[in-house]
Amino acid sequence: MEPVKQGLEISTTNLNKIGLVKVKDQWMWQADVAENVEGGAAEGANEDVEMAGNDTAMGEVGPSSAFQDLSKVLDKLDHLTNEQRNNHEFYTARFQHLDLQIDVVQYQLATIAAWNEPHN
């Protein structure tokens, strides 16, 4: 993860890949632009839509596919998080067991040392 800094910019191509297009001076979801054009609310909106890259069609990458991709990534992250949590719990239990065994060995060594001391 990298924090977003003021100097960093997101390229227009990446914004288009997640389903955003620039209409005049605003970024909008491609589906919203399509609805406005179909409903007649934005006459000439097609002329104002800026698409970067290789002249992709507006419907090619929509918000739903971007959200599906995001959902897959989030599912994978959840899986990795659960896997990491399970590994952490396993190794924590193993270290606790080793600590207990070391305590037992130290006690036994102390007992042996006490028996070997000369008794006057």
Side-chain angles (χ1 to χ4, degrees):
M1 184 173 83
E2 183 179 343
V4 178
K5 299 175 185 167
Q6 187 175 3
L8 298 177
E9 290 185 17
I10 300 173
S11 70
T12 304
T13 304
N14 287 334
L15 290 172
N16 292 146
K17 286 180 183 178
I18 64 169
L20 294 170
V21 292
K22 191 170 186 180
V23 179
K24 297 186 182 182
D25 292 331
Q26 282 188 330
W27 285 96
M28 298 178 64
W29 291 111
Q30 290 176 354
D32 294 342
V33 172
E35 288 174 11
N36 288 339
V37 171
E38 287 172 7
E43 285 186 27
N46 287 335
E47 299 161 3
D48 295 328
V49 174
E50 292 181 24
M51 295 287 290
N54 54 1
D55 296 329
T56 57
M58 274 184 18
E60 189 173 314
V61 178
S64 61
S65 68
F67 287 125
Q68 287 172 352
D69 292 343
L70 181 61
S71 176
K72 288 178 186 177
V73 170
L74 291 175
D75 288 344
K76 181 67 174 173
L77 287 174
D78 284 342
H79 174 73
L80 291 173
T81 301
N82 287 334
E83 209 172 271
Q84 189 175 19
R85 184 179 298 115
N86 291 340
N87 285 339
H88 175 73
E89 290 171 359
F90 172 77
Y91 289 115
T92 300
R94 294 299 297 161
F95 280 119
Q96 288 173 347
H97 180 71
L98 287 173
D99 284 343
L100 179 62
Q101 286 182 331
I102 289 171
D103 289 343
V104 170
V105 169
Q106 286 176 337
Y107 175 76
Q108 290 173 345
L109 288 173
T111 304
I112 292 171
W115 279 95
N116 289 334
E117 288 181 7
H119 298 288
N120 295 359

